[in-house]
């Protein structure tokens, strides 16, 4: 609904008055601007005819100083008329003649310094009103700019630029010379020219965001491209303007690349989902192909749309690795099947079949670990195991016979324990070394092995038997010892009273009532578990007294220490 004329009339009158004031000011300033541009380009020197060349130098200097003093006196009370300025010009001319006369007889710099100071004073006097004009034009330009009159603002800024440029060229000694001011005004002019372009770029970006919110990707791409192109034009044509925003251009390019690559990203997500489902079904070859296609699409994004939020070298590497891993699962499954067949042959003591499979299995595991180091289906421990079994293949049957014939049940759950301590013969066959100090008989218990070496022995023997092998738990050892109340300690153990202080072959003494040999005496035995770096040793040794042995000695030993009175035995379970 239109406002009544009575209400709008005062507003219109106010606007008219404002425009009249601006026009009047512009007319006055324009007049001075015209005079300024028409004024001489250089300061006018006083004619030399009125200076008597025969006057002595001292008189010239004195007269110059008097003229300067008269000028400064008038200037101090605000009188700077043309006549007063002529006095300053004459003072300068007298100083110049004085210097020319004195140059041949003196090298004093003081006269020249005074001349420079006088010239600077003249430049300041002549440039000051021009500087005020510059300030007025700038003020009018800003007023016109605020009122939306870009043409008037441009005109005022250009007038200010011309005058300031004249000051810089003609009054270079004045305090009003300012290269910075010229640059600032030039920037303001360029900002006026570029502002409509910048505003159109902002509007295009806004429309692009609105299109994104509506999922109108085609429109969003078109508007972002328009916004980017306008911003690039600003950057190329007006590099010094305040609207040259490099970071904004890069951000919009990123948004644009992200939009353009969104279809590829959707395709990648679909491929990844399909690959995952195929893997669940065990279709690793097809899954590998899907991951490979996802890697190709990711590479397309990285190369075609490098600023996209979807661009990622890490993702490309990830999808490539997933493809390789899926492919490796095919070979891993084949190797696992071969390994299972080999393990069953070893466990069944079918050494002929195990030998036939062994070399092929080792070669395939080695190649797999080389080709697929990131795959965890076939580990480095698997490689160590098959290499070890391949190396030990000729002794497997002998080792199995030594162990299986000497196992007795202990505890519940089907676990069995070796009737004797591990002999040096068995240890040497499994470990290919013998750490024992007393090697007088291969049937002596192995001694001087560390706790960790005993654990390694258990691991390797487990590979050979195809079963779980471990040191006995303390409770299992105690159960195997049984009740010692009525036991004949000397009959079932080598101790300090009957051993001569040395170890003896295993099973040389009588078995206890449960069929186990040397649980007491001969060598102390490691049991399972470490506490604060120490291992537990049970049963005493050939150097332990019979009385102490009858109480089932328990001691702590350094897990890394070798002791010629410490050995071990093993337990076996499925």
């Amino acid at each position: 609904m239109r406002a009544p004329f009575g209400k709008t009339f005062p507003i219109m009158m106010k606007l008219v008055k404002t425009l009249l004031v601006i026009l009047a000011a512009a007319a006055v300033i324009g007049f001075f601007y015209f005079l300024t541009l028409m004024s001489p380009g250089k300061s006018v020197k006083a004619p030399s005819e009125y200076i008597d060349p025969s006057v002595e130098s001292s008189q010239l200097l004195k007269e110059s100083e008097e003229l300067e003093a008269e000028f400064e006196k008038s200037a101090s009370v605000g009188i700077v008329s043309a006549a007063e300025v002529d006095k300053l010009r004459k003072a300068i001319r007298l100083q110049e003649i004085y210097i020319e006369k004195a140059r041949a007889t003196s090298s004093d710099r003081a006269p020249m310094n005074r001349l420079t100071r006088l010239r600077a004073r003249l430049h300041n006097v002549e440039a000051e009103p021009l500087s005020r004009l510059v300030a007025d034009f700038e003020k009018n330009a800003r007023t016109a700019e605020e009122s939306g009159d870009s043409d008037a603002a441009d005109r005022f800024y250009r007038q200010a630029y011309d005058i300031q440029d004249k000051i810089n060229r003609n009054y270079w000694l004045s305090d009003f010379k300012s290269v910075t001011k010229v640059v600032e005004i030039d920037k303001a002019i360029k900002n006026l020219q570029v502002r409509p372009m910048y505003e159109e770029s902002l509007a295009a970006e806004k429309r692009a965001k609105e299109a994104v919110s509506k999922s109108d990707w085609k429109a969003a791409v078109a508007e972002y491209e328009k916004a980017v192109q306008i911003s690039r034009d600003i950057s190329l044509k007006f590099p010094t303007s305040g609207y040259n925003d490099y970071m904004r251009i890069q951000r919009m390019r990123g948004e644009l690349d992200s939009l353009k690559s969104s279809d590829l990203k959707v395709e990648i997500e679909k491929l990844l989902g399909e690959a995952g489902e195929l893997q669940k079904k065990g279709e690793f070859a097809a899954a590998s192909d899907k991951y490979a296609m996802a890697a190709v699409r990711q590479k397309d994004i990285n190369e075609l749309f490098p600023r996209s939020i979807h661009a990622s070298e890490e993702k490309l590497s990830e999808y490539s690795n997933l493809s390789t891993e899926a492919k490796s699962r095919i070979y891993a499954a084949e190797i696992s099947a071969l390994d299972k067949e080999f393990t069953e042959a070893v466990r069944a003591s079918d050494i002929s079949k195990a030998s036939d499979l062994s070399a092929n299995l080792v070669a395939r595991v080695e190649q797999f670990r080389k080709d697929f180091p990131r795959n965890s289906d076939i580990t480095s421990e698997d490689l160590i195991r098959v290499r070890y079994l391949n190396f030990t293949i000729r002794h497997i049957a002998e080792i199995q016979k030594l162990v299986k014939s000497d196992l007795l049940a202990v505890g519940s759950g089907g676990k069995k324990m070796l009737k004797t301590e591990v002999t040096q013969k068995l240890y040497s066959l499994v470990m290919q070394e013998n750490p024992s100090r007393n090697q007088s008989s291969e049937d002596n218990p192995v001694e001087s092995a560390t706790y960790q070496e005993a654990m390694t022995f258990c691991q390797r023997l487990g590979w050979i038997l195809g079963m779980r092998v471990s040191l006995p738990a303390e409770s299992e050892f105690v159960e195997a010892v049984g009740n010692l109340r009525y036991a004949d300690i000397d009959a079932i153990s080598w101790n300090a009273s009957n051993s001569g202080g040395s170890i003896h072959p295993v099973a040389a003494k009588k078995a206890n009532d449960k069929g186990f040999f040397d649980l007491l005496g001969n060598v102390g035995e490691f049991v399972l578990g470490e506490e604060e770096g120490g291992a537990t040793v049970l049963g005493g040794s050939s150097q332990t007294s019979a009385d102490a042995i009858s109480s089932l000695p328990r001691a702590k030993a350094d897990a890394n220490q070798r002791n010629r009175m410490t050995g071990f035995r093993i337990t076996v379970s499925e």
Side-chain angles (χ1 to χ4, degrees), residues 32 57-58 73-74 127 193 204 297 320 328 345 374 386 430 436 442 496 503 526 529:
F32 285 108
S57 295
S58 58
K73 182 177 180 180
S74 298
Q193 294 174 323
R297 295 295 177 267
S320 297
S328 72
R374 297 167 59 91
V386 296
V430 172
S436 303
E442 65 179 7
I503 63 172
F526 286 126

Side-chain angles (χ1 to χ4, degrees), residues 38-239:
M38 294 298 103
S39 63
K42 297 182 180 179
S43 56
V44 180
K45 294 183 178 180
S48 59
E49 288 76 15
Y50 64 85
I51 298 174
D52 185 353
S54 64
V55 177
E56 292 295 328
S57 295
S58 58
Q59 182 61 33
L60 291 173
L61 178 60
K62 180 180 179 182
E63 186 177 351
S64 175
E65 290 173 343
E66 289 174 350
L67 287 169
E68 180 189 6
E70 290 176 13
F71 170 79
E72 293 297 346
K73 182 177 180 180
S74 298
S76 66
V77 295
I79 301 174
V80 187
S81 63
E84 296 301 324
V85 173
D86 280 342
K87 290 180 181 180
L88 183 57
R89 289 196 180 98
K90 185 175 181 180
I92 291 171
R93 183 59 185 149
L94 288 169
Q95 184 68 15
E96 290 172 345
I97 296 173
Y98 168 76
I99 290 172
E100 289 173 4
K101 284 192 171 189
R103 185 172 294 160
T105 59
S106 174
S107 60
D108 185 11
R109 292 292 302 170
M112 183 58 70
N113 292 340
R114 179 172 182 267
L115 177 60
T116 300
R117 178 174 57 77
L118 289 173
R119 286 173 174 171
R121 185 72 172 99
L122 179 61
H123 279 199
N124 276 332
V125 169
E126 293 180 331
E128 183 179 8
L130 299 179
S131 179
R132 288 199 298 270
L133 277 177
V134 171
D136 288 341
F137 277 129
E138 283 188 285
K139 181 179 179 181
N140 283 345
R142 286 191 291 270
T143 301
E145 193 173 356
E146 290 169 1
S147 66
D149 191 347
S150 298
D151 291 339
D154 181 76
R155 186 168 61 255
F156 285 133
Y157 275 131
R158 290 182 184 278
Q159 290 170 332
Y161 180 94
D162 291 341
I163 297 174
Q164 185 62 52
D165 182 59
K166 180 177 180 178
I167 292 173
N168 292 352
R169 286 185 289 104
N170 296 342
Y171 304 105
W172 64 92
L173 293 175
S174 78
D175 297 335
F176 303 103
K177 176 190 175 183
S178 175
V179 176
T180 302
K181 174 67 72 175
V182 169
V183 172
E184 289 175 353
I185 297 172
D186 181 66
K187 185 175 181 180
I189 293 170
K190 286 183 170 60
N191 283 345
L192 278 175
Q193 294 174 323
V194 79
R195 181 179 294 170
M197 297 173 65
Y198 181 73
E199 290 175 349
E200 175 55 25
S201 174
L202 289 177
E205 183 181 5
K206 182 179 179 181
R207 291 192 296 271
K209 291 179 178 178
E210 290 173 351
V212 168
S213 67
K214 298 175 183 177
S215 300
D216 187 352
W217 312 122
K218 184 176 180 180
V221 168
E223 292 297 340
Y224 267 126
E225 286 180 336
K226 182 177 181 180
V228 168
Q229 186 57 51
I230 294 173
S231 297
R232 289 185 73 250
D233 289 344
I234 292 173
S235 178
L236 293 172
K237 297 176 182 178
F238 306 98

Side-chain angles (χ1 to χ4, degrees), residues 335 374 432 475 542 555 568:
I335 292 172
R374 297 167 59 91
Q432 301 300 310
S475 61
S542 59
F568 64 94

Side-chain angles (χ1 to χ4, degrees), residues 270-303:
K270 181 181 178 183
L271 288 168
L272 294 177
E274 292 171 350
E277 291 300 319
L278 289 168
Q279 276 195 300
K280 291 178 182 178
K281 298 175 183 178
E283 299 178 24
F284 299 116
S288 177
D289 290 341
K290 293 289 185 181
Y291 283 128
M293 289 175 65
V296 170
R297 295 295 177 267
Q298 185 62 53
K299 186 177 181 182
D300 289 342
I301 291 177
N302 294 355
E303 293 179 352

Side-chain angles (χ1 to χ4, degrees), residues 377-568:
D377 293 338
I378 307 297
T379 66
S380 56
E381 184 175 311
D382 291 323
L383 179 57
I384 293 171
R385 174 175 57 82
V386 296
R387 280 176 173 172
Y388 171 79
L389 290 173
N390 182 61
F391 179 77
T392 318
I393 196 75
R394 66 185 184 278
H395 299 301
I396 286 178
E398 182 181 4
I399 293 170
Q400 289 178 341
K401 183 178 179 181
L402 286 172
V403 174
K404 290 181 178 180
S405 61
D406 279 344
L407 293 174
L408 290 175
V410 63
S412 59
K415 185 176 284 191
K416 295 180 179 181
M417 189 162 73
L418 197 63
K419 290 192 296 184
T420 69
E421 295 152 329
V422 172
T423 64
Q424 293 181 24
K425 178 181 180 180
L426 178 59
Y427 189 92
S428 297
L429 286 171
V430 172
M431 300 293 285
Q432 301 300 310
E433 63 178 2
N434 182 6
S436 303
R437 300 179 192 178
N438 184 345
Q439 299 185 15
S440 59
S441 170
E442 65 179 7
D443 292 327
N444 283 349
V446 68
E447 32 87 358
S448 299
T450 66
Y451 179 83
Q452 186 56 52
E453 287 171 344
M455 295 296 289
T456 301
F457 173 89
C458 292
Q459 181 187 49
R460 293 183 180 181
L461 183 58
W463 294 341
I464 291 171
L465 298 178
M467 304 172 74
R468 294 183 62 185
V469 176
S470 174
L471 294 175
E474 185 170 345
S475 61
E476 293 167 344
F477 191 96
V478 171
E479 180 185 338
V481 170
N483 190 342
L484 297 177
R485 184 173 182 181
Y486 302 107
D488 184 349
I489 299 301
D490 284 336
I492 62 174
S493 72
W494 291 107
N495 56 67
S497 64
N498 62 13
S499 68
S502 180
I503 63 172
H504 294 265
V506 301
K509 283 289 185 178
K510 183 180 177 182
N512 70 1
D513 59 358
K514 295 191 177 184
F516 293 100
F517 295 93
D518 302 313
L519 284 170
L520 303 176
N522 213 9
V523 290
E525 299 180 28
F526 286 126
V527 292
L528 191 63
E530 289 184 79
E531 297 177 3
E532 298 179 356
T536 301
V537 178
L538 296 181
S541 70
S542 59
Q543 296 181 351
T544 306
S545 69
D547 288 342
I549 282 180
S550 64
S551 300
L552 185 54
R554 185 180 191 276
K556 284 291 182 182
D558 186 337
N560 298 313
Q561 184 178 358
R562 299 183 184 277
N563 190 321
R564 64 189 180 89
M565 288 297 162
T566 301
F568 64 94

